[in-house]
Amino acid sequence: MKQSFQAKISSKKFANALRDCGMKTELDRETVYDLVKLYSSEQEPIRDVRDRVIKLLNSQCRWSQQTVLTAAENSRDPIRTSRWLPVIVDGTMVLKAPNECRHSLDRILFSSQLPIFDVHHLSKDWTAQLGWDKIISKEILLAQLRYGAEEETTHVVSTVLAYMVSDWGISCADDLVDIAFVPRGNSCFMKPYQVFSPPKKGPSS
């Protein structure tokens, strides 16, 4: 169901009049839920949906303290789990949920594993509501690291490693043992044990 709203009403007089008529005067979580449901219904051309999604994400929303969600509620929140964000997959625009894609700003960390939602600017509030302020999973980072090494892309490898060390620390050390990520000249990568293992001793005379 579509709902009309005005993000900001400059005059309290008009705002009160609109409220008396049962109309919303600002964007809130419930209105966002209604819009997400509409966009995910696939009742409209997907390119039209993209234009509307971009406008929505550029709007300010009143995320009231009374509607702050717990971690468990966030994992089931329609904003994160409904497929309402248009992304390109294999050359075709499709709808994905925020937990199935990621903001283009961090694409170097996941581009081989997740679809990219391309938007020029996203506020901190919207980033948090979509769940994109959370640390990228270790599984995705390891897969992206392998991709960077296989493609011999030093920038990808170094960026992913820096992110993993910063956010995962020593807990990811064992996962790196069998990945060829150590540079060995000419963008070639080797596994850690191939580079740092002690040289074999020759036969003693």
Side-chain angles (χ1 to χ4, degrees):
M1 178 181 66
K2 292 185 179 180
Q3 289 196 27
S4 298
F5 67 88
Q6 186 169 338
K8 184 177 180 181
I9 301 295
S10 58
S11 169
K12 290 184 179 180
K13 177 180 178 181
F14 290 124
N16 291 334
L18 289 172
R19 278 193 289 268
D20 289 342
C21 293
M23 298 180 67
K24 293 189 175 183
T25 60
E26 59 185 345
L27 185 64
D28 60 14
R29 184 180 294 275
E30 292 305 318
T31 305
V32 171
Y33 284 160
D34 287 338
L35 292 172
V36 166
K37 184 177 180 180
L38 173 66
Y39 299 153
S40 64
S41 67
E42 301 188 35
Q43 296 178 2
E44 302 181 11
I46 192 168
R47 294 194 178 277
D48 292 344
V49 170
R50 173 173 171 75
D51 292 340
R52 296 182 181 184
V53 166
I54 295 298
K55 289 179 181 178
L56 174 61
L57 295 179
N58 284 329
S59 302
Q60 292 184 346
C61 181
R62 178 174 58 83
W63 309 105
S64 67
Q65 294 299 317
Q66 288 74 23
T67 58
V68 172
L69 305 180
T70 65
E73 289 171 332
N74 269 325
S75 67
R76 301 187 301 269
D77 185 25
I79 294 176
R80 298 188 183 187
T81 60
S82 298
R83 291 182 169 176
W84 62 285
L85 298 182
V87 298
I88 302 295
V89 176
D90 297 330
T92 302
M93 187 174 289
V94 298
L95 295 177
K96 291 290 185 181
N99 60 11
E100 297 175 324
C101 59
R102 191 92 179 187
H103 184 209
S104 56
L105 182 64
D106 299 325
R107 70 176 67 203
I108 195 171
L109 298 172
F110 64 83
S111 60
S112 69
Q113 302 302 306
L114 295 174
I116 297 168
F117 181 71
D118 200 1
V119 60
H120 296 300
H121 173 73
L122 197 63
S123 69
K124 289 184 178 180
D125 284 344
W126 271 112
T127 299
Q129 293 300 321
L130 295 167
W132 292 343
D133 60 333
K134 306 301 180 185
I135 296 174
I136 298 173
S137 73
K138 188 190 300 184
E139 291 73 22
I140 289 175
L141 292 170
L142 290 171
Q144 181 75 353
L145 183 62
R146 291 189 183 92
Y147 164 79
E150 290 170 0
E151 295 294 318
E152 298 184 350
T153 309
T154 304
H155 185 46
V156 171
V157 171
S158 60
T159 302
V160 173
L161 280 175
Y163 183 93
M164 292 184 72
V165 171
S166 172
D167 290 298
W168 289 103
I170 196 171
S171 66
C172 66
D174 291 341
D175 299 298
L176 299 175
V177 173
D178 291 322
I179 300 178
F181 68 89
V182 182
R184 188 69 171 179
N186 297 324
S187 298
C188 176
F189 296 95
M190 302 182 70
K191 295 180 180 180
Y193 71 84
Q194 294 174 316
V195 178
F196 301 114
S197 59
K200 295 181 179 179
K201 295 182 179 180
S204 57
S205 56

